[in-house]
Amino acid sequence: MKEPQTSGTHWPTVFLTLVIGAAGGFAAKLLGLPLPWLLGSLIVTGAAAIANLRPLGHVMGAPTGLRLTFIPIIGVSIGAAVTPAIIDDLSRWWPSLFALLLYVPIAHAIGFTLARRIGVSDPATAYYGTMPGGFIEAIALGDQAGADPALLAVTQFLRLILCIVLIPVGFGLLTGETVGSATGAVIGDTGYALSPTDWVILAACGVVGALGGRWIGLPAGIITGPIIVSGLVHVLGWVEGGPPGWLVDLTQLVIGTTLGARFAGRGPAVLLTGLRVTLVTVGATLVLAAIFAATLAGLVGETWQAVFLAFAPGGLTEMALIALSLELSVIYVTAHHVIRIILSVAFARLAASRVLR
């Protein structure tokens, strides 16, 4: 599932796509849904894309660069939560970090087995389509192995979408309370008034971090780079606070809208097969994450929600947004997702020759 390319972009259609996403976000906010600007824009834009809505006669969509421009804002927001005390926290996290060495191959094995049993006849598609991390890497590796490109992209994409939708809603159902921004809290709003100098420093954190992270090959460098640079400048005391809540809300809107628009042009048969497979495999993986969370929460000094979110097989950017919304330890969650991505790609490469032989 390739993202629309910047070249030839019809900007009036992009604008209308964002308007549709904003309408969905506003409706979700009125309904009191968690992460309304992310979930609402994703659901409404995705439904419109599947229905083949064509604003001004063009397929819905947005250029890749638009989403990539906003993702570093989340990294800077996460970095703003870094304090010197994080060193002490790291010493408590080692049990769950090591537990990822068990979780990742078990989750992949469960997903692969279930996918093969419920209708994915091609082993390469089932194998790379159920990698519990590394969206881009999974598609690239699957393409080299001869997997079905459409079904592979759909299953990996739906893995991210289902986690975005199911986790905050599930937390709300389990606790009996609305969570995160559904309570009226504003993500990223620290109450600190940023000066012009603060704005310049935070912007530099995003730009330098994103470019540097991708240049040196950090996993998900476009977000991990800004996390590192922003965390460093906050620890050094060069700036206080982070991006304001309205900017993080706008980032959610852009991410949700661009993700939803990527359903445009997908055939119903591929979507239904991918949805059936992903519902089962993601559901099983989330149950596994819950088992690890119940086991590890007391050992690492974090809530079970934080540990569960750290092990959930969603995208790093989106899971970080959920952590920010739920006011969980976002550094803990982010650190585990970076390691999960690395391990998912490493284990997939190691076991591929044996599984696909």
Side-chain angles (χ1 to χ4, degrees):
M1 183 181 292
K2 297 181 179 179
E3 296 189 38
Q5 299 299 310
T6 303
S7 60
T9 298
H10 190 255
W11 286 105
T13 299
V14 173
F15 174 75
L16 289 178
T17 300
L18 290 170
V19 169
I20 292 170
F26 184 70
K29 191 172 182 65
L30 290 178
L31 293 172
L33 294 180
L35 290 171
W37 296 108
L38 178 66
L39 285 181
S41 60
L42 169 60
I43 293 170
V44 171
T45 309
I50 292 172
N52 199 30
L53 181 66
R54 290 174 172 261
L56 302 178
H58 291 261
V59 175
M60 294 179 64
T64 303
L66 182 62
R67 179 171 180 265
L68 298 182
T69 299
F70 279 83
I71 286 178
I73 295 172
I74 303 304
V76 175
S77 296
I78 296 171
V82 175
T83 66
I86 200 70
I87 303 300
D88 294 331
D89 293 334
L90 286 171
S91 65
R92 294 187 286 106
W93 296 347
W94 67 266
S96 56
L97 288 170
F98 274 103
L100 287 170
L101 291 169
L102 290 175
Y103 171 80
V104 168
I106 293 173
H108 196 176
I110 291 174
F112 172 72
T113 302
L114 290 174
R116 292 282 285 160
R117 290 185 177 180
I118 59 178
V120 183
S121 58
D122 173 30
T125 303
Y127 183 71
Y128 292 107
T130 55
M131 271 178 59
F135 176 85
I136 295 174
E137 293 84 355
I139 292 176
L141 291 171
D143 184 61
Q144 295 173 8
D148 180 339
L151 184 56
L152 171 61
V154 166
T155 52
Q156 276 291 336
F157 183 59
L158 286 175
R159 169 177 65 84
L160 308 183
I161 300 300
L162 287 176
C163 286
I164 295 171
V165 174
L166 294 177
I167 291 173
V169 174
F171 279 169
L173 292 175
L174 288 174
T175 62
E177 301 175 355
T178 53
V179 295
S181 52
T183 66
V186 180
I187 306 174
D189 187 4
T190 61
Y192 180 82
L194 297 174
S195 69
T197 302
D198 293 333
W199 277 104
V200 171
I201 293 175
L202 292 177
C205 289
V207 174
V208 173
L211 294 177
R214 300 187 75 177
W215 181 64
I216 66 177
L218 286 175
I222 196 169
I223 185 172
T224 53
I227 290 172
I228 293 171
V229 177
S230 176
L232 178 62
V233 301
H234 279 86
V235 168
L236 292 175
W238 293 357
V239 65
E240 294 184 41
W246 64 264
L247 186 55
V248 180
D249 286 343
L250 179 60
T251 301
Q252 292 184 70
L253 170 62
V254 171
I255 291 174
T257 300
T258 52
L259 288 176
R262 288 171 65 183
F263 282 108
R266 298 296 135 190
V270 172
L271 286 174
L272 288 174
T273 300
L275 183 60
R276 183 177 71 251
V277 171
T278 313
L279 277 172
V280 175
T281 56
V282 169
T285 308
L286 290 176
V287 170
L288 181 65
I291 294 172
F292 273 80
T295 304
L296 294 166
L299 297 176
V300 298
E302 298 288 343
T303 65
W304 70 267
Q305 293 99 324
V307 181
F308 176 81
L309 191 57
F311 280 74
L316 190 156
T317 302
E318 293 77 20
M319 295 301 99
L321 271 172
I322 294 175
L324 286 169
S325 173
L326 298 176
E327 299 181 351
L328 298 174
S329 176
V330 67
I331 303 299
Y332 172 83
V333 172
T334 302
H336 284 70
H337 280 289
V338 171
I339 300 300
R340 176 178 58 84
I341 293 170
I342 295 172
L343 292 177
S344 294
V345 176
F347 280 129
R349 285 174 170 165
L350 286 172
S353 60
R354 177 173 298 180
V355 175
L356 303 179
R357 184 169 50 197

